[in-house]
Amino acid sequence: MQPADPSPRGPVDASVVPRFAGIATFARLPMLDDVERADIAVVGVPFDSGVSYRPGARFGPAHVREASRLLRPYNPAQDVFPFGAQQVADAGDIAANPFDIDAAVAEIAAAARTLGERASRLVAIGGDHTIALPLLRAVTERHGPVAVIHFDAHLDTWDTYFGAPTTHGTPFRRASEEGLIDLTASMHIGIRGPLYDKSDLSDDERLGFAIVTADEIERDGVTRAIERIRARVGGAPLYLSIDIDVLDPAHAPGTGTPEAGGLTSRELLTIIRGLRDLPIVGADVVEVAPAYDHAQITAVAASHTVYELLSAMAPKGPEA
C-alpha cells in the first residue's frame, strides 16, 4: 500500500491541485531543499555543447519535467509506489559552462558529488551524452568500477571528434580508459545503424562492452535480451545510461542523432522492469531535444523511462 505517513513526501495531489498548474518539477515531486534528505534525487543537466549533429538537448530537462506531470503514484507493472517506498526529490538543474566542455564536465562531477551528500543516488536528465562521463566519475568514487548498461543506437566509444576527446560520442571510451567501468559486466543495448569502420566493433569489445543489437531484440525478443543483460551484470553495482535515440524515431523523434530501426518504448520499459532487483547505483536519460519533438512524444517516453528507473530502484518487499 502507499504509505499514509507524510514521510516520504510524494507528488502534489492531483485531486487537489490540477496537474497542469504550478511550476514543473519531475512528476510534481518536492524540491530537494524542501525535504531533509532524499533516497534519490532527480537532477537536470542542461548541457549540449558536446553534440556532433543536431543541438538542442540543453532544453531536455525542462521538456521532460513538463511531460512528467501525468505520472501517477502507483506503478502496477512493477507493483511499487516509487514515491512512497522511498523519498524522491527534484534537485533542479546543474549549471554547466556552455562554452567550455572541460569546465562543464568538472562542474557536473563536482555538483554530482555535492548532491551525493544529500541523496543516496542520482537519476540525471540530460543534456547530451557527454554528461555520462562526469556522472560516472562521481558514482565510481562511492562504488568503484560499475557495470554500465548503455541503451543507445550508437556505441559512444569513439576516440575523438575533430580532435576533441570529450564529446557525446566518446564518454564510454574515456570512462573505460579511466577505469570507471567494470570491463567484464558492461553492455550496449539497441545498437544499430552504420559505423565509421568495422574496427569500431573490435575497439568497443576491447574497451569492455558486449552488445545486444536492435536486430537481436527483434529476432530473439526482450526476454532473451533481459537474460543476457542479467548474465553479464551478475551482482555488480549497476549504472544505467539511456540515450533516448535507442528508441525508433517513431517513438522518439525529438533527439539529435536519430537512427531508423530502433526499439519501441514498450520494449525499453519492459527491459528496465526486468532489471528491477539488480543493485542500480545511478542512471541518466539523455539526448531529448525538444525542437525536433512533436506532441511531447519523446518527452513522454523519457518521463516514463525515468519513472520506470525510479520504480526499479525502489525497495521491494516488506521494507517498502
Side-chain angles (χ1 to χ4, degrees), residues 20-92:
F20 42 82
I23 297 172
T25 59
F26 184 81
R28 310 177 83 215
L29 286 163
M31 294 293 294
L32 183 58
D33 288 342
D34 296 330
V35 297
E36 184 175 342
R37 180 177 170 78
D39 298 298
I40 301 177
V42 178
V43 62
V45 189
F47 173 84
D48 68 357
S49 300
V51 301
S52 58
Y53 194 48
R54 303 195 304 199
R58 66 181 59 183
F59 300 108
H63 194 51
V64 175
R65 285 189 178 103
E66 281 293 337
S68 73
R69 289 176 180 271
L70 198 55
L71 295 171
R72 299 181 179 87
Y74 177 58
N75 183 345
Q78 295 197 44
D79 188 20
V80 68
F81 289 92
F83 311 130
Q86 59 194 346
Q87 179 64 66
V88 186
D90 192 319

Side-chain angles (χ1 to χ4, degrees), residues 1-2 73-82 85 273 276 307-308 311-312 314-317 320:
M1 293 181 61
Q2 186 176 25
Y74 177 58
N75 183 345
Q78 295 197 44
D79 188 20
V80 68
F81 289 92
R273 291 166 190 157
R276 62 182 179 270
Y307 182 74
E308 289 299 335
S311 299
K316 311 295 191 302

Side-chain angles (χ1 to χ4, degrees), residues 78 230 234 272-280 312-314 316:
Q78 295 197 44
R230 294 179 65 90
I272 293 171
R273 291 166 190 157
L275 309 179
R276 62 182 179 270
D277 58 341
L278 297 181
I280 302 171
M313 296 165 77
K316 311 295 191 302

Side-chain angles (χ1 to χ4, degrees), residues 98-180:
F99 301 107
D100 185 327
I101 293 178
D102 290 339
V105 165
E107 289 164 347
I108 295 165
R113 293 186 190 100
T114 300
L115 282 172
E117 297 172 359
R118 302 177 62 194
S120 301
R121 293 177 287 180
L122 301 182
V123 174
I125 303 172
D128 75 48
H129 225 150
T130 308
I131 71 169
L133 178 60
L135 293 171
L136 282 169
R137 286 174 177 167
V139 79
T140 55
E141 289 173 4
R142 305 178 80 183
H143 300 281
V146 293
V148 175
I149 297 300
H150 167 222
F151 295 79
D152 203 319
H154 313 97
L155 298 170
D156 287 2
T157 50
W158 286 286
D159 191 9
T160 63
Y161 280 101
F162 295 89
T166 307
T167 75
H168 78 151
T170 63
F172 300 111
R173 190 184 192 99
R174 298 288 91 82
S176 179
E177 292 170 344
E178 293 180 22
L180 307 181

